[in-house]
Amino acid sequence: MGARRSLGRQFGWLWAAYTVSTFGTRLAFDAFPLIAILVLHAGPTEVSVLAAAGLAAGAAVAVPLGPWVEFRRKRPVMVAMDLIRCAALLSVPAAFALGGLSFVQLLVVSVIVVAADITFNAAGGACLKSLVKPPDLLVANGRFEATNWTATVLGPPLGGAAIGLFGPVVTVVADAVSYLLSAVGIRAIGGREPHPARTDTRPRLRAGDLLDGWRYILTHPTLRPLFYNTILVNSLIMASQPLLAVLMVGHLGFAPWQYALAFAVPCLGGLIGSRLARRLVARFGQHKVMLTVGALRACWALGLAFIRPGTAGLVLVMAVELGLITCMGVFTPVFSTYRLDLTESDRVTRTLSAWSVTGKAVTAAMTGLWGLLAGITGPRTAIALAGLLLLATPLLLPRRDHAPQHERELAPGCP
């Protein structure tokens, strides 16, 4: 086993910023729906609208930001997005303290946070590509993925305890502070960030430029099938989650803590998968790993349609989720690296922004559609249909390897 690879001080600060903001977000997991229910006495329709409309409207707001950010220094943009998210979130406890919190405010804050998330992540991908050498991108993405799953395991239980002790608003404050600390971390990266050179002579952003990211993706022979595959897989998985909650808690009688446990424990698989990604790529190659694990991750969700009450049902959910999340833990850093390698440096922000906007918009639409489907057929049938459709998604994975040469010749190492 090789020694832990150092990616440099600048990456260390970027990773620290990502870590603190990710833990803050996971700590505040489901804070807005809980505030809507407990403070504003919202019903299920309003809570669903809050989730879906925030994603869809936030994605729409973010559309012009990708092309605008492309030819600007990325770190100032990232700091600005952190500060915007911090200010927007702090408005919630401020309004709550003054007795003026409303559902409309929660919706507006959700839209702002989603749009800032998309812009930050798109700029962050370009920033990562400029800070890390190409052979080290998989190591970097593996560390981000490990951090994400660690936060997913620890954050929601700690956030739930905090909500129980202090109320749902306190986790929103923690999330806001995490963005402030993230901005400090981005500023601490230091060094001179060169101003991106424009590849054209157009002085201003035009309406047609808003579609540049999609044009690049849809005309690329490898990114196009990857785009279809990841958007469809993620949206089908996310659309099933609310229905699974209804099935387990509402129909099968599982306690809320059992439902939470069924998803918290399997998240350890994501941590394991992210640690295995580098080793698997070193042994089998990036493209083969992505194809294999990308196919495997589509095979698990159908099992969720066969849940039964009691311990056996709980074990089934945990086993299915463990397999799914472990595959995702391997797939995500490999896919993220592959996508960055295939995207030209002057198109990274537009490409990632278009990818994220589409993902959030499709997820919002699929969540609403599957909710309607579950109302007609029942949640179990809707979950089964999503699982069956997922089985077809490996057909969209790219069959040919277009990765740069350095990724095909990765030396064995440990992330």
Side-chain angles (χ1 to χ4, degrees), residues 291-352:
L291 275 182
T292 303
V293 182
L296 286 175
R297 85 192 200 284
C299 299
W300 296 91
L302 184 59
L304 296 174
F306 300 96
I307 304 171
R308 291 292 180 266
T311 302
L314 187 62
V315 171
L316 174 62
V317 176
M318 294 176 71
V320 169
E321 291 293 330
L322 179 63
L324 173 62
I325 292 173
T326 302
C327 291
M328 291 172 63
V330 176
F331 179 85
T332 301
V334 177
F335 150 72
S336 298
T337 302
Y338 198 76
R339 180 175 59 180
L340 280 177
D341 282 328
L342 292 174
T343 305
E344 297 174 14
S345 296
D346 64 346
R347 294 180 179 272
V348 170
T349 304
R350 284 172 286 180
T351 300
L352 296 186

Side-chain angles (χ1 to χ4, degrees), residues 78 139 195 216 252 258 286 295 326 338:
M78 294 165 71
V139 178
H195 197 288
Y216 185 74
L252 300 179
Q258 291 175 308
Q286 186 184 44
T326 302
Y338 198 76

Side-chain angles (χ1 to χ4, degrees), residues 2 5 15 17 82 89 109 111 145 157 174 192-193 201 206 214 224 234 311 325 350 368-369:
R5 180 180 300 192
W15 189 17
D82 273 335
L89 288 170
V109 171
V111 171
E145 186 70 3
R192 184 179 180 276
E193 182 184 1
T201 58
R206 302 186 308 179
W214 285 279
R224 182 175 60 251
N234 292 339
T311 302
I325 292 173
R350 284 172 286 180
L369 179 61

Side-chain angles (χ1 to χ4, degrees), residues 374-394:
I376 298 170
T377 66
R380 192 185 296 275
T381 301
I383 291 170
L385 180 58
L388 287 171
L389 290 175
L390 279 166
L391 292 176
T393 57

Side-chain angles (χ1 to χ4, degrees), residues 258-319:
Q258 291 175 308
Y259 174 75
L261 182 68
F263 292 94
V265 174
C267 286
L268 292 171
L271 180 59
I272 294 169
S274 65
R275 300 290 293 176
L276 288 175
R278 172 74 184 185
R279 295 180 178 89
L280 291 173
V281 168
R283 182 169 182 179
F284 300 107
Q286 186 184 44
H287 185 253
K288 184 178 292 186
V289 170
M290 188 174 66
L291 275 182
T292 303
V293 182
L296 286 175
R297 85 192 200 284
C299 299
W300 296 91
L302 184 59
L304 296 174
F306 300 96
I307 304 171
R308 291 292 180 266
T311 302
L314 187 62
V315 171
L316 174 62
V317 176
M318 294 176 71

